[in-house]
């Protein structure tokens, strides 16, 4: 049986030749070793505003003394019970060891979009709501109470 090279077959073969290197590169990228990152340690905290959980508030961890663009800046979203666990590389994985200035942004409105309910009072890392130190091992922060 012989194949007749119709225009459609030529187009299909050309497309396959073009796509093959892309598929190989994508497969290589998926198996490539991810860059190393510093170890992270579990951190748990609680944020209450006027005695109630600040559901949906975002707590940001700003490394003290490390303003480098590549510095890890963990963030956490406050849950319904008022607790939070920061994300550094994976969900709720914690934070690298070090000292952090904590800031809080609590978006108002539906879908957690809108102006800061705290009017920006706690969103400046130079005037944090609190400074904390994350150490190797499990870290439980003192509750943050805003009145």
């Amino acid at each position: 049986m012989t194949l007749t090279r119709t225009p459609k077959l030529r187009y299909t073969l050309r497309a396959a030749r073009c796509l093959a290197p892309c598929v190989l590169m994508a497969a290589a990228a998926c198996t490539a070793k991810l860059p190393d990152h510093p170890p992270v340690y579990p951190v748990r905290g609680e944020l209450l505003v006027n005695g109630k959980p600040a559901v949906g508030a975002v707590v940001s961890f700003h490394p003290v003394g490390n303003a480098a663009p590549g510095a890890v800046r963990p963030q956490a979203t406050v849950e319904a019970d008022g607790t939070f666990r920061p994300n550094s590389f994976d969900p709720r994985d914690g934070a690298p060891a070090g000292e952090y200035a904590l800031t809080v942004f609590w978006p108002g409105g539906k879908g957690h979009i809108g102006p800061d309910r705290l009017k920006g009072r706690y969103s400046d890392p130079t005037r944090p709501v609190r400074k904390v130190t994350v150490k190797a091992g499990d870290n439980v922060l003192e509750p943050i109470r805003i009145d």
Side-chain angles (χ1 to χ4, degrees):
M1 173 176 179
T2 60
L3 287 175
T4 306
R5 292 200 174 219
T6 64
K8 186 175 182 181
L9 179 60
R10 281 194 297 264
Y11 176 78
T12 303
L13 291 172
R14 186 178 306 142
R17 280 193 298 261
C18 292
L19 288 176
C22 295
V23 170
L24 290 174
M25 287 174 37
C30 290
T31 60
K33 184 177 184 280
L34 295 175
D36 291 331
H37 60 70
V40 293
Y41 303 99
V43 178
R44 290 186 311 270
E46 181 179 31
L47 175 62
L48 303 172
V49 175
N50 297 322
K52 296 183 180 175
V55 180
V58 177
V59 180
S60 297
F61 289 60
H62 303 271
V64 173
N66 187 358
V72 179
R73 288 175 174 75
Q75 285 193 331
T77 302
V78 177
E79 302 291 333
D81 63 355
T83 61
F84 62 85
R85 293 176 187 232
N87 310 312
S88 289
F89 304 101
D90 294 311
R92 302 167 58 125
D93 63 348
E99 186 178 2
Y100 295 92
L102 300 186
T103 60
V104 178
F105 175 80
W106 191 13
K110 292 184 178 182
H112 301 292
I113 298 172
D116 185 1
R117 294 182 193 185
L118 302 171
K119 299 181 176 28
R121 290 185 302 245
Y122 307 102
S123 61
D124 182 355
T126 63
R127 294 187 338 239
V129 68
R130 176 166 302 155
K131 284 190 178 179
V132 299
T133 301
V134 174
K135 297 179 180 177
D138 198 33
N139 296 269
V140 178
L141 307 179
E142 290 291 321
I144 300 170
R145 292 178 181 17
I146 298 174
D147 295 318

